[in-house]
Amino acid sequence: MIKALYKAFEVRWKSYRHRFVPWIALNLQKNERTLRQVKDRSRDKLVEDEEVLGSLVCLFTELLKNDMKNQSELLRFLPQAKRDKYTNVEDETRDAPSAVMLNALGFRIERKRSSLQLAGTGVFVTRGRAPKGSIVAMYPGTIYQPDEPIFFQSIRNPFVFRCIDGVLIDGSDRAISKIVYRSCSGRDRLGPFRLGDCSWLTSDPVNPLAVGQYVNNCSNEKAANVCYQEYDVPEGFPLELRQFLPNVNYRADAQRPLRCVVLVSLRDINCGEELFSNYYTIVH
């Protein structure tokens, strides 16, 4: 009986550890291939914020156009010039979000069983090719400042991501984490405009990028092909496109920009390849 329980724990741990932040931190020095050193948060960027903004706006614009049946009422609240940008669409057929991503960015990603033994779910490029420097995924979830409570949400939760400045992102789509995210997202609206996306909590996210929490850490056998990059959403981000952002602040704070984390390709990633990330550490 004890042997069977130990075996079950061992199998679960081998899957869990690929996303468990303390385990990764303790093992970074054992495996330099999993480590990317940066001097401070401002130097963790492989691509400029303007490029991140451009990629997100490009995809989100196409996602909005693809859903005109449900978006037309919302667009009435926009100035005419902005409204024309979205309503001047000849083809009214609705495509799957992954197809929209393929057309907009030239590739698409999907969750599938990881090629890493016992690692559970992974993320793969399933169509097209992601060129070096592409935004290939986003890390969804509730944003916690260092002084905000996350203890109960973090129990048995392998999806808590730590930013360089100590900000935490809870990317779990289950249990209390799911409840907290839905509550905070329902709170944050500006009139008729939703300021965040809840669909990543389901098996069919409207924003196909919002699966970054399922990207596994690299290993000696599987080198990293993507890395994390922090991105604070600028004040001028289009209001009508914020509905596709898969993040929300735990505490409402209009003075603080919304933190997002994107995954950037370190090289060209071809169709069929799984995404593997590395972690950064501060060096002085």
Side-chain angles (χ1 to χ4, degrees):
M1 178 67 175
I2 295 177
K3 187 176 180 180
L5 288 173
Y6 176 79
K7 186 64 177 178
F9 171 79
E10 184 181 31
V11 170
R12 189 175 184 86
W13 167 247
K14 285 181 178 179
S15 173
Y16 183 89
R17 69 182 185 181
H18 289 286
R19 300 188 183 92
F20 184 53
V21 174
W23 180 86
I24 292 166
L26 289 171
N27 284 272
L28 284 175
Q29 299 304 328
K30 298 179 184 178
N31 183 3
E32 296 269 337
R33 295 182 72 189
T34 70
L35 188 63
R36 183 167 64 91
Q37 297 181 339
V38 296
K39 290 188 176 181
D40 55 55
R41 181 170 173 253
S42 65
R43 300 188 186 184
D44 84 306
K45 300 183 186 301
L46 290 185
V47 297
E48 296 298 322
D49 283 351
E50 290 74 16
E51 294 181 56
V52 177
L53 174 64
S55 293
L56 296 184
V57 168
C58 173
L59 175 61
F60 294 176
T61 297
E62 295 306 313
L63 289 172
L64 192 152
K65 288 180 178 179
N66 186 58
D67 190 30
M68 287 307 301
K69 182 178 180 180
N70 296 316
Q71 299 287 340
S72 56
E73 190 68 21
L74 183 71
L75 294 179
R76 293 193 305 106
F77 294 92
L78 296 177
Q80 186 65 48
K82 267 199 169 186
R83 202 182 316 161
D84 292 343
K85 174 183 175 182
Y86 300 112
T87 55
N88 188 21
V89 179
E90 296 180 3
D91 187 2
E92 295 186 359
T93 58
R94 192 172 189 273
D95 296 321
S98 59
V100 176
M101 178 181 181
L102 178 63
N103 292 330
L105 303 182
F107 63 92
R108 79 180 187 193
I109 58 173
E110 292 180 37
R111 287 175 285 190
K112 297 168 58 178
R113 179 173 292 278
S114 176
S115 59
L116 282 175
Q117 188 177 13
L118 302 176
T121 302
V123 179
F124 293 76
V125 174
T126 55
R127 288 284 301 276
R129 180 176 66 92
K132 179 180 179 180
S134 299
I135 308 304
V136 296
M138 300 181 72
Y139 201 100
T142 305
I143 312 299
Y144 292 84
Q145 297 302 310
D147 63 334
E148 293 175 346
I150 192 176
F151 175 76
F152 290 107
Q153 298 91 309
S154 68
I155 296 174
R156 298 184 65 186
N157 182 354
F159 297 107
V160 178
F161 179 89
R162 186 182 188 277
C163 297
I164 291 177
D165 58 1
V167 169
L168 300 173
I169 304 179
D170 180 6
S172 174
D173 54 13
R174 300 169 187 148
I176 188 173
S177 298
K178 181 176 184 177
I179 295 170
V180 169
Y181 185 91
R182 284 193 181 279
S183 175
C184 293
S185 181
R187 171 201 67 202
D188 291 351
R189 299 181 69 97
L190 187 57
F193 294 95
R194 289 184 291 112
L195 302 181
D197 173 38
C198 284
S199 68
W200 68 270
L201 297 168
T202 72
S203 59
D204 297 303
V206 170
N207 174 3
L209 291 175
V211 293
Q213 78 276 37
Y214 285 102
V215 173
N216 285 302
N217 191 38
C218 65
S219 65
N220 282 323
E221 295 74 33
K222 303 285 187 177
N225 52 18
V226 299
C227 69
Y228 298 99
Q229 178 168 315
E230 297 170 21
Y231 174 70
D232 289 340
V233 178
E235 186 177 341
F237 195 92
L239 178 61
E240 67 277 11
L241 299 182
R242 287 180 176 261
Q243 62 182 296
F244 300 111
L245 292 171
N247 298 100
V248 64
N249 286 318
Y250 174 75
R251 183 181 299 154
D253 188 347
Q255 304 303 314
R256 187 173 60 226
L258 180 69
R259 170 68 53 82
C260 290
V261 170
V262 298
L263 284 85
V264 182
S265 54
L266 295 169
R267 59 169 175 81
D268 293 354
I269 304 176
N270 296 314
C271 180
E273 288 193 72
E274 183 174 359
L275 305 184
F276 292 106
S277 63
N278 60 13
Y279 284 79
Y280 39 43
T281 186
I282 301 294
V283 294
H284 302 286

